[in-house]
Amino acid sequence: MIQWPCVLKLDGDYELIFLDSELMFASEFESLIWSDSDRLIDSGGQRYIISQSKGNYTFVASGGRLSLTAVTQLIQQHEFSKGEMCLTKIQFSSVEEAIQSLATEE
């Protein structure tokens, strides 16, 4: 079961898209050009493959859970690509806290 909030990690891009609910996911995902390599990462660090059929989305767990270190590194890459924050200041005590940190981005 997916633990919201989540981030969408687009393959080949450092940008992360914060998604606070499945409803927000459906709204955002409709406007994206996405690939089978994109992954949804939930607040527990679990990665999911996303598929769509007849307007319904299916999420299938893919591989093991990402560690807090791995999620922090994704967020550091995301912030570095924007060039707005000192990377050494990006530290979290949980995966959920790391993902939630993206909620305030515009």
Side-chain angles (χ1 to χ4, degrees), residues 72 75-92 101-102 104-105:
T72 300
I75 292 172
Q76 287 174 334
Q77 290 170 336
H78 168 81
E79 294 297 341
F80 181 76
S81 71
K82 296 185 328 182
E84 297 176 1
M85 184 180 291
C86 176
L87 298 183
T88 59
K89 293 182 179 182
I90 300 175
Q91 302 294 321
F92 307 102
S101 75
L102 298 173
T104 58
E105 291 191 355

Side-chain angles (χ1 to χ4, degrees), residues 13 15 28 35 81 94:
D13 193 342
E15 181 182 9
E28 289 283 331
S35 76
S81 71
S94 70

Side-chain angles (χ1 to χ4, degrees), residues 5 8 15 29 34 42 96 98 106:
L8 182 61
E15 181 182 9
F29 210 65
W34 57 283
D42 77 4
E96 183 176 6
E106 295 292 317

Side-chain angles (χ1 to χ4, degrees), residues 33-95:
I33 298 172
W34 57 283
S35 76
D36 294 340
S37 301
D38 298 338
R39 294 293 181 263
L40 186 72
I41 303 169
D42 77 4
S43 289
Q46 182 62 56
R47 293 172 284 185
Y48 293 90
I49 296 170
I50 307 157
S51 59
Q52 181 183 26
S53 177
K54 300 177 185 175
N56 294 319
Y57 297 100
T58 304
F59 307 100
V60 178
S62 169
R65 293 184 184 278
L66 293 175
S67 67
L68 174 58
T69 302
V71 173
T72 300
Q73 187 174 40
L74 288 174
I75 292 172
Q76 287 174 334
Q77 290 170 336
H78 168 81
E79 294 297 341
F80 181 76
S81 71
K82 296 185 328 182
E84 297 176 1
M85 184 180 291
C86 176
L87 298 183
T88 59
K89 293 182 179 182
I90 300 175
Q91 302 294 321
F92 307 102
S93 59
S94 70
V95 171

